[in-house]
């Protein structure tokens, strides 16, 4: 008797417990506070928007997106901005299917597989594609007793093509007379997952060197070397190995304290930096056959501009010119205006180490996104 | 049988009932000797700590077995060898497990505090602190939804397999398919839920319930398999005794069979929960990622702790990693609490047995 | 206890039949739900995956056709899972026996809890631990293996200096599947009737003989189940393998090199991010292959168990 009545008593008890959990689960400690104090410290110039703005796409933009979403939510505390870093491919697919209001992508929409047409169909008009995130890709290495290396594109290409296999190879030694190079074998580290970083890096090797015979691709084309998952995987592999060399987003390389290769541009060797990356974007020509609202560019990898660093990743934000509801249109417009504004670019530069857009590009982008409206 | 080493038995003319035994302190003696002997290696040959331990273990097993074989019987020697081997396996396995747990605790503990637990990741300025409250709520909601779907389905299916199906075609089919189900990669489960929900509710549909459905696909086979095993272990005598008393079959199942196997079933459910609570890939696809707290599984994005961990790692700076380790520790603690709860419930419900 | 009289009052032939019918109906329905769910997954995988068998050559990344693409992955999947199971199973049974039959309660209880906890550590964390803590620690061992056993095809130079080899991935997988195998086999070991054990001991069996003769036969089916669950997890594990393994190579038995075959699940996770419609179909088709492999493996295991059981009962 006792035991079964105890058991029966448990049921309402458990129900009460569940109820109390669900009641206390109403809000996080900071959400209401945050709203209150951001209202006071940002006397906002944009109208106060509200609602949920969902996007998906390139994971390269995630750190910048963190800065942008926080900044945008600071201006409009009733907005929640969600960015799902699934990867450029899925970002584009979801945008085409109408699952998201905007997308982030490392390579611009193309019609190789009909994606551009499909995206235009989704929007009803030509899509908007603006450069939002420019970041240098560093070639970093881990070699005992060597802190800095100067290499030209040919040498880098041969290293990653497994043609140069030891660190004291003459091709490396000639460019670095002062370095004390050991005969350690070179182990290259590349991305295992498909990524825009790989595509941009191989694009650079293909265009700037004579020794690279592969197409620019999301998947690293050469067999051999260590493959690692994600930027953090590459950084970890280079850090943990001996005689390793790899490529990754500059900000994370700096974080890990790895040594970085200075890349030969023209007659000098340039270290990766935000300013040097921005210079390349400024001199790069627009991609051919694009609509007026599409700012896709083909990055000039062979530039000889002094102080430019052509190994960069250029990532875009994609949106429609018109949306079904005014609410959606206002949210996307407000967000993209913020992203390409000086303020937004500065926030990303601080949080993600990216290169702010140059003034011309930014003002043209501002003009394009300013025209977003409801149907 | 080396009788001369057992002087107390020597005078007996009949067949001895015991044979010689090693003294109780024999294993300890062998251990000390082998550790000391193997200790010469690092000194003389400059071998490392790991080699020392390995050599000690091998010497210990060999030494004790041989001594036992000489003094005791062959059967005892085998018994002693197996005992040593089992404990060795135990020791070997604990090293990485403890290392992993230690990594999580030591890296996570400094970052877990009140703010971390009660704040969400919603910020309006980059200098605000963030926490994982939204992710904890998301994890609880999605896991509970998945459990609500999987546990009854899994347990009833197992009952069908063991008590009703008894080898008929349907039961055999289900058994096979459950086996196959254990091999579904989580990302495929996610793709399935994703395509199903987007087909029904439109391309933009993202909600916790989708994640729960994907996770149930992973959880159901574990619940079925472990429940099935436990039900099979219930002795038939118990069932027959109940039938003999005129108890209907379903009451026999609920009152006798389930009660007897409850401990095992709860372990299975706990394990299944633990298995899915750390799942990342399907949730990234279908549950979305948000910084705000959302308690409604049917509407809006929902972040869970593993997805939060994954996204922090993907961002990749030191501060992001710190949050991720903290979240990993919180997840382990949540599972610890679940385990304890499951055990307490198991104790309350389980019948008293000989153990 | 008296509130549920086992000898129910005699009004019931009708009610109990109803109760029985409802209960067996629910059970059967639950079974059918599982069938439906699986059919759903299978149909979806087929619809989305079969086009993946017939894509243009370019989509297979230089492997010509689907078979050329999937065979490496299949090899990697099976190799890593085999390593994992070979390593994990003896260890897991060892732990389970210690917990159920060897250790005193004050050790057994906490150890069992710790192991259950590990089942919950997200695979991302295993992956991170694997690449940052475990893999670098393995490098000296790999160097030693290459120097001393380099004549074997498994340990050929050059050694992966980062330690992200398929052996590392297999070992990390082994650690990941330990908890699930341990927990289930521990439960079944514990379920052995005490009478059987005591009878064996009373007949003069040593503890090992008791376990071999009383515990193992009783637990066999559960042990196989545990191994199969572990194997299932090892075959399907995604993030940890993707993070730990340097998996861009072809088929190779070299366990310590840089170019390892990767697994199907890890490949899906890696390549999913930059998919195009064509590659997505291919990835889902590889998922289908994994599905079929687990099916075959389970089929084989069940068959072996069934055969053994027949032998035993004779």
């Amino acid at each position: 008797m006792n035991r079964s009545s105890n058991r029966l008593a448990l049921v309402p008890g458990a129900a009460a417990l569940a109820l109390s959990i669900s009641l206390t689960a109403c809000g996080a400690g900071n959400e209401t506070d945050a709203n209150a104090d951001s209202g006071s410290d940002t006397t906002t110039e944009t109208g106060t928007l509200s609602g949920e703005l969902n996007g998906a796409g390139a994971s390269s933009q995630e750190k910048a997106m963190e800065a942008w979403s926080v900044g945008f939510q600071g201006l409009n505390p009733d907005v929640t901005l969600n960015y799902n870093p699934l990867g450029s491919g899925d970002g584009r697919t979801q945008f085409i299917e109408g699952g998201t209001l905007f997308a982030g992508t490392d390579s611009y929409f193309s019609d190789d597989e009909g994606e551009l047409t499909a995206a235009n169909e989704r929007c009803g008009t030509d899509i908007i594609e603006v450069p939002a995130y420019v970041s240098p890709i560093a070639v970093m290495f881990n070699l005992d007793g060597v802190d800095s290396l100067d290499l030209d594109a040919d040498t880098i290409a041969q290293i990653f093509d497994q043609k140069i296999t030891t660190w004291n190879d003459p091709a490396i030694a000639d460019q670095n007379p002062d370095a004390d190079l050991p005969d350690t074998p070179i182990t290259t580290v590349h991305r295992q997952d498909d990524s825009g970083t790989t595509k941009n890096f191989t694009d650079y090797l293909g265009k700037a060197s004579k020794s690279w015979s592969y197409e620019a691709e999301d998947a690293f084309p050469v067999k051999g070397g260590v493959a690692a998952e994600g930027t953090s995987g590459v950084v970890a592999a280079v850090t943990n190995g001996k005689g390793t060399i790899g490529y990754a987003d500059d900000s994370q390389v700096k974080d890990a304290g790895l040594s970085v290769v200075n890349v030969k541009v023209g007659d000098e060797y340039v270290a990766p930096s935000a300013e040097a990356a921005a210079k390349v974007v400024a001199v790069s020509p627009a991609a051919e056959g694009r609509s007026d609202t599409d700012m896709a560019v083909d990055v000039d990898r062979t530039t000889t501009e002094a102080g430019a660093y052509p190994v960069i990743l250029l990532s875009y934000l994609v949106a429609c010119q018109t949306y079904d509801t005014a609410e959606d249109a206002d949210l996307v417009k407000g967000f993209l205006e913020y992203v390409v504004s000086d303020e937004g670019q500065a926030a990303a530069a601080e949080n993600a180490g990216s290169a702010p857009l140059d003034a011309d590009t930014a003002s043209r982008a501002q003009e394009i996104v300013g025209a977003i409206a409801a149907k | 049988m080396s009788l001369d080493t057992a002087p107390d038995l020597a005078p007996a003319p009949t067949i001895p009932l015991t044979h010689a035994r090693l003294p109780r302190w024999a294993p300890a003696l062998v251990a000390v000797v082998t550790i000391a002997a193997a200790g010469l290696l690092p000194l003389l040959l400059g071998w490392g700590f790991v080699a020392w331990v390995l050599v000690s273990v091998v010497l210990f097993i060999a030494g004790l077995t041989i001594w036992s074989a000489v003094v005791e019987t062959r059967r005892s020697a085998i018994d002693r060898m197996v005992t040593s081997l089992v404990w060795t396996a135990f020791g070997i396995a604990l090293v990485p497990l403890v290392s992993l747990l230690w990594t999580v605790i030591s890296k996570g503990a400094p970052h877990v505090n009140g703010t971390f637990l009660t704040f969400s990741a919603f910020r309006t300025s980059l200098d605000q602190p963030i926490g994982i409250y939204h992710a904890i709520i998301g994890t609880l909601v999605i896991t509970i939804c998945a459990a609500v779907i999987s546990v009854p389905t899994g347990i009833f299916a197992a009952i069908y397999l063991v008590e009703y199906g008894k080898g008929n075609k349907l039961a055999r089919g289900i058994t096979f398919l459950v086996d196959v189900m254990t091999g579904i990669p989580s990302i495929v489960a996610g793709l399935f839920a994703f395509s199903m929900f987007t087909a029904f509710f439109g391309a933009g549909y993202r909600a916790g319930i989708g994640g729960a459905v994907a996770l149930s696909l992973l959880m159901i086979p574990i619940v079925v398999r472990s429940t099935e095993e436990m039900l099979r272990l219930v002795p038939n005598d118990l069932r027959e005794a109940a039938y003999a008393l005129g108890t209907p079959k379903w009451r026999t199942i609920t009152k006798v069979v389930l009660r007897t196997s409850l401990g095992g079933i709860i372990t299975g459910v706990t394990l299944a929960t633990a298995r899915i609570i750390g799942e990342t890939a399907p949730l990234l696809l279908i549950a979305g990622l948000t910084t705000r707290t959302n308690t409604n599984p049917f509407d809006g994005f929902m972040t869970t702790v593993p997805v939060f961990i994954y996204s922090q790692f993907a961002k990749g700076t030191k501060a992001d990693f710190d949050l991720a380790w903290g979240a990993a520790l919180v997840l382990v603690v949540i599972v610890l609490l679940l385990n304890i709860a499951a055990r307490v419930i198991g104790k309350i419900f389980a019948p008293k047995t000989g153990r | 206890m008296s509130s549920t009289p086992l000898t129910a009052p005699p009004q019931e032939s009708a009610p109990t039949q109803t109760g029985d019918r409802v209960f067996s109906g629910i059970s059967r329905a639950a079974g059918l739900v599982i069938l439906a769910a699986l059919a759903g997954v299978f149909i979806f995988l087929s619809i989305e995956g079969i086009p993946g068998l017939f894509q243009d050559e370019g989509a297979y990344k230089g492997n010509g056709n689907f078979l050329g693409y999937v065979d490496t992955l299949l090899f990697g999947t099976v190799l890593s899972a085999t390593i994992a199971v070979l390593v994990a199973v003896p260890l897991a049974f060892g732990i389970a026996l210690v917990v159920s039959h060897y250790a005193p309660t004050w050790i057994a209880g906490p150890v069992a809890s710790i192991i259950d906890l590990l089942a919950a550590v997200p695979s991302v964390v295993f992956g991170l631990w694997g690449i940052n803590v475990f893999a670098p620690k393995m490098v000296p061992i790999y160097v030693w293996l290459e120097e001393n056993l380099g004549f074997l095809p498994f340990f050929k130079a050059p050694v992966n200096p980062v330690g992200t080899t398929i052996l590392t991935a297999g070992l990390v997988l082994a650690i990941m599947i330990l908890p699930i195998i341990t927990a289930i086999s521990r439960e079944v070991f514990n379920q052995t009737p005490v009478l059987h054990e005591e009878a064996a001991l009373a007949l003069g069996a040593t503890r090992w003989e008791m376990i071999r003769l009383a515990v193992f036969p009783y637990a066999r089916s559960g042990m196989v189940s545990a191994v199969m669950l572990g194997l299932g997890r090892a075959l399907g594990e995604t993030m940890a393998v993707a993070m730990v393994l340097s998996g861009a190579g072809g088929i190779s038995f070299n366990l310590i090199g840089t170019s390892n075959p990767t697994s199907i699940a890890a490949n899906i996770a890696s390549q999913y991010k930059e998919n195009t419609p064509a590659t997505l179909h291919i990835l889902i088709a590889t998922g289908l292959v994994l599905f079929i492999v687990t099916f075959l493996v389970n089929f084989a295991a069940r068959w072996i168990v069934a055969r053994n059981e027949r032998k035993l009962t004779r």
Side-chain angles (χ1 to χ4, degrees):
Chain A
M1 189 73 209
N2 280 339
R3 286 210 26 198
S4 56
S5 58
N6 279 347
R7 254 182 288 138
L8 288 179
L10 269 180
V11 176
L17 189 69
L19 191 66
S20 63
I21 288 174
S22 66
L23 285 179
T24 52
C26 281
N30 57 329
E31 283 179 26
T32 42
D33 300 0
N35 292 358
D37 61 51
S38 60
S40 60
D41 66 38
T42 50
T43 45
T44 152
E45 72 272 20
T46 49
T48 310
L49 301 167
S50 68
E52 209 176 41
L53 175 56
N54 297 331
S59 50
S60 58
Q61 292 188 24
E62 190 172 9
K63 198 70 190 163
M65 198 57 80
E66 179 181 74
W68 292 329
S69 62
V70 167
F72 188 55
Q73 285 163 176
L75 295 171
N76 306 285
D78 291 331
V79 170
T80 307
L81 188 129
N82 298 314
Y83 182 77
N84 206 348
L86 287 169
S88 305
D90 230 33
R92 291 195 297 268
T93 311
Q94 290 198 12
F95 180 75
I96 290 169
E97 287 171 350
T100 50
L101 292 180
F102 72 95
T105 173
D106 289 340
S107 32
Y108 53 74
F109 271 89
S110 77
D111 251 341
D112 292 348
E113 299 209 28
E115 286 189 319
L116 181 58
T117 315
N120 288 341
E121 264 167 30
R122 182 248 152 138
C123 288
T125 56
D126 288 334
I127 54 165
I128 289 176
E129 202 161 21
V130 292
Y133 176 74
V134 179
S135 171
I137 299 170
V139 181
M140 73 289 195
F141 62 94
N142 182 7
L143 184 62
D144 285 345
V146 182
D147 297 331
S148 135
L149 277 179
D150 293 340
L151 296 175
D152 58 18
D154 264 338
T155 316
I156 297 175
Q158 287 178 44
I159 290 174
F160 279 93
D161 201 12
Q162 316 290 331
K163 296 273 160 48
I164 296 177
T165 54
T166 52
W167 281 104
N168 58 0
D169 191 281
I172 302 175
D174 286 352
Q175 296 177 66
N176 300 280
D178 301 335
D180 181 18
L181 295 165
D183 60 355
T184 316
I186 298 180
T187 304
T188 59
V189 181
H190 59 85
R191 285 286 284 270
Q192 167 166 269
D193 46 334
D194 286 0
S195 91
T197 311
T198 302
K199 187 168 189 173
N200 279 281
F201 182 65
T202 51
D203 186 46
Y204 163 76
L205 293 180
K207 288 182 176 147
S209 82
K210 294 184 284 293
S211 319
W212 189 258
S213 54
Y214 310 94
E215 296 279 310
E217 270 186 286
D218 288 326
F220 194 75
V222 184
K223 298 271 181 201
V226 170
E229 181 79 8
T231 303
S232 35
V234 171
V235 170
V238 173
T239 312
N240 294 336
K242 287 214 168 63
T244 43
I245 183 167
Y247 58 92
D249 198 278
D250 186 45
S251 56
Q252 293 198 26
V253 174
K254 286 216 177 85
D255 256 14
L258 286 163
S259 316
V260 163
V261 170
N262 303 318
V263 172
K264 190 172 190 183
V265 179
D267 291 327
E268 49 181 336
Y269 291 92
V270 184
S273 70
E275 303 76 51
K279 273 191 186 163
V280 175
V281 182
V283 301
S284 296
E288 281 172 20
R290 311 299 285 192
S291 72
D292 289 344
T293 54
D294 192 332
M295 292 181 66
V297 298
D298 286 320
V299 177
D300 184 3
R301 307 289 186 188
T302 52
T303 180
T304 52
E305 182 97 2
Y309 184 83
V311 199
I312 60 164
L313 169 84
L314 177 55
S315 196
Y316 302 87
L317 285 178
V318 179
C320 291
Q321 292 185 39
T322 55
Y323 286 89
D324 288 341
T325 67
E327 193 197 344
D328 287 351
D330 288 346
L331 280 172
V332 176
K333 177 181 168 188
F335 177 62
L336 291 186
E337 278 182 342
Y338 171 73
V339 167
V340 297
S341 70
D342 292 347
E343 203 184 333
Q345 288 292 312
E350 195 189 328
N351 204 41
S354 65
L357 298 174
D358 66 289
D360 291 348
T361 316
S363 68
R364 200 181 140 210
Q366 198 64 257
E367 209 174 292
I368 292 173
V369 301
I372 294 174
K375 271 179 184 154
Chain B
M1 294 266 158
S2 43
L3 283 180
D4 15 279
T5 54
D8 51 335
L9 288 172
T14 51
I15 300 167
L17 291 176
T18 58
H19 60 76
R21 302 277 300 165
L22 291 180
R24 283 180 62 86
W25 39 263
L29 178 68
V30 177
V32 171
V33 171
T34 52
I35 289 172
L40 293 176
L41 287 171
L43 290 178
L44 300 180
L45 299 171
W47 286 19
F49 178 74
V50 180
W52 178 24
V53 174
L54 283 179
V55 173
S56 305
V57 169
V58 172
L59 282 183
F60 173 80
I61 296 174
L64 190 62
T65 308
I66 292 168
W67 189 11
S68 166
V70 170
V71 177
E72 306 175 336
T73 58
R74 201 178 65 88
R75 288 169 52 213
S76 309
I78 292 175
D79 185 47
R80 286 194 187 271
M81 187 178 76
V82 172
T83 307
S84 321
L85 280 177
V86 163
W87 279 98
T88 309
F90 178 77
I92 293 175
L94 279 192
V95 171
L97 296 181
V98 169
S99 156
L100 184 85
L101 216 53
W102 174 247
T103 310
V104 172
I105 292 172
S106 64
K107 292 202 176 186
H111 311 292
V112 178
N113 53 39
T115 314
F116 188 70
L117 292 176
T118 56
F119 275 32
S120 70
F122 185 81
R123 284 189 287 186
T124 50
S125 151
L126 277 174
D127 48 21
Q128 290 163 358
I130 66 170
I132 58 165
Y133 181 79
H134 63 304
I136 296 176
I137 295 299
T139 293
L140 290 181
V141 170
I142 289 182
T143 309
I144 289 171
C145 288
V148 164
I149 298 171
S150 318
V151 172
T153 315
I155 291 182
F156 274 112
I159 290 174
Y160 178 75
L161 293 179
V162 176
E163 305 291 337
Y164 290 103
K166 286 252 168 75
N168 69 19
K169 264 191 188 151
L170 179 62
R172 266 181 307 180
I174 293 174
T175 310
F176 269 133
L177 291 175
V178 167
D179 287 347
V180 177
M181 226 169 156
T182 58
I184 300 182
S186 54
I187 197 153
V188 171
L191 282 171
F192 165 71
F194 172 78
S195 65
M196 189 173 92
F197 277 87
T198 48
F200 289 148
F201 301 106
Y205 190 80
R206 296 284 182 288
I209 190 71
V213 167
L215 294 185
S216 341
L217 272 181
L218 305 171
M219 188 173 181
I220 286 174
I222 304 185
V223 176
V224 176
R225 285 298 286 271
S226 54
T227 309
E228 198 191 332
E229 285 312 327
M230 292 311 138
L231 294 184
R232 283 195 201 288
L233 290 179
V234 176
N236 258 333
D237 313 359
L238 286 181
R239 294 191 183 90
E240 282 156 12
Y243 295 150
L245 291 169
T247 319
K249 187 166 187 178
W250 71 280
R251 303 211 70 173
T252 308
I253 294 170
T254 49
K255 293 288 171 189
V256 177
V257 178
L258 283 181
R259 292 260 316 264
T260 313
S261 51
L262 198 67
I265 293 176
I266 287 175
T267 304
V269 169
T270 316
L271 263 180
T273 314
R275 164 81 178 81
I276 60 155
I277 209 170
E279 200 50 74
T280 316
L283 296 173
L284 258 180
L285 296 182
I286 180 66
L289 184 65
T290 181
T291 52
R292 286 231 202 210
T293 313
N294 176 10
T295 51
N296 182 353
F298 298 97
D299 183 40
F301 287 17
M302 206 176 240
T303 304
T304 63
V305 177
V307 172
F308 177 83
I309 295 172
Y310 178 74
S311 70
Q312 290 304 116
F313 282 134
K315 285 185 210 162
T317 63
K318 171 99 180 36
D320 299 321
F321 270 57
D322 288 347
L323 288 171
W325 284 115
L329 178 60
V330 170
L331 191 65
V332 169
V333 171
I334 291 176
V335 176
L336 177 67
L337 295 177
L338 275 178
N339 263 315
I340 293 173
R343 261 154 225 249
V344 171
I345 295 171
K347 282 252 167 60
I348 294 173
F349 283 84
K352 290 195 175 72
T353 61
R355 278 168 207 276
Chain C
M1 280 286 134
S2 56
S3 73
T4 54
L6 286 177
T7 48
Q11 20 104 316
E12 63 251 9
S13 79
T16 49
Q17 277 176 2
T18 323
D20 255 345
R21 227 177 289 138
V22 169
F23 197 77
S24 75
I26 294 176
S27 309
R28 180 191 286 264
L32 290 174
V33 164
I34 292 182
L35 283 190
L38 256 173
V41 176
F42 192 77
I43 291 169
F44 159 70
L45 280 182
S46 305
I47 293 174
E48 295 286 314
I50 286 173
L53 306 178
F54 313 106
Q55 296 294 330
D56 291 338
E57 233 180 277
Y60 297 109
K61 314 224 159 124
N63 290 296
N65 57 33
F66 183 72
L67 277 182
Y69 182 76
V70 82
D71 63 355
T72 319
L73 299 176
L74 199 53
F75 177 80
T77 309
V78 172
L79 183 59
S80 58
T82 310
I83 296 173
V85 168
L86 286 182
V87 173
V89 166
L91 294 181
F93 288 162
I95 302 180
L97 278 180
V98 165
V99 171
S100 68
H101 285 86
Y102 282 90
T105 332
W106 64 269
I107 297 183
V111 165
S113 311
I114 289 179
I115 289 167
D116 286 353
L117 276 190
L118 282 156
V121 176
S123 41
V124 184
V125 173
F126 273 99
L128 268 162
W129 175 82
I131 190 169
N132 286 314
V133 180
F134 187 64
K137 290 238 162 71
M138 294 303 286
V139 173
I141 297 176
Y142 294 154
V143 171
W144 185 87
L145 284 172
E146 195 272 318
E147 281 167 2
N148 294 284
L149 297 170
F151 56 89
L152 293 173
F154 309 119
F155 306 117
K156 278 190 294 202
V159 174
N160 182 333
V162 187
T164 53
T165 68
I166 194 143
L167 188 52
T168 308
L171 292 175
V172 170
L173 279 179
I175 298 164
M176 294 182 73
I177 63 177
L178 259 181
I180 202 157
I181 302 181
T182 307
I184 295 177
S185 44
R186 182 189 76 219
E187 276 313 317
V188 290
F189 291 158
N190 267 333
Q191 294 282 342
T192 317
V194 184
L195 281 178
H196 291 198
E197 295 175 2
E198 285 170 356
L201 291 174
L203 289 171
T206 60
R207 187 148 47 169
W208 166 241
E209 286 163 345
M210 179 270 283
I211 289 169
R212 200 160 51 88
L213 297 171
V215 179
F216 281 171
Y218 195 77
R220 178 173 284 123
S221 143
M223 287 158 76
V224 172
S225 246
V227 174
M228 294 322 291
L229 275 178
L231 181 62
R233 182 157 191 200
L235 288 169
E237 176 51 46
T238 312
M239 289 315 297
V241 178
M243 290 168 82
V244 169
L245 182 63
S246 157
I251 293 179
S252 152
F253 279 102
N254 187 3
L255 301 180
I256 58 170
T258 52
S259 297
N260 306 282
T262 188
S263 77
I264 290 178
N267 184 61
I268 295 178
S270 287
Q271 311 302 317
Y272 180 75
K273 294 180 201 160
E274 298 294 327
N275 65 61
T276 62
T279 54
L280 186 61
H281 284 309
I282 297 174
L283 291 180
I284 294 177
T286 62
L288 193 61
V289 171
L290 179 57
F291 218 71
I292 294 166
V293 169
T294 44
F295 180 88
L296 292 179
V297 168
N298 275 298
F299 191 90
R302 286 266 148 184
W303 184 69
I304 293 169
V305 173
R307 214 182 47 166
N308 277 346
E309 264 163 17
R310 238 177 289 135
K311 263 191 209 150
L312 277 177
T313 47
R314 252 175 228 162

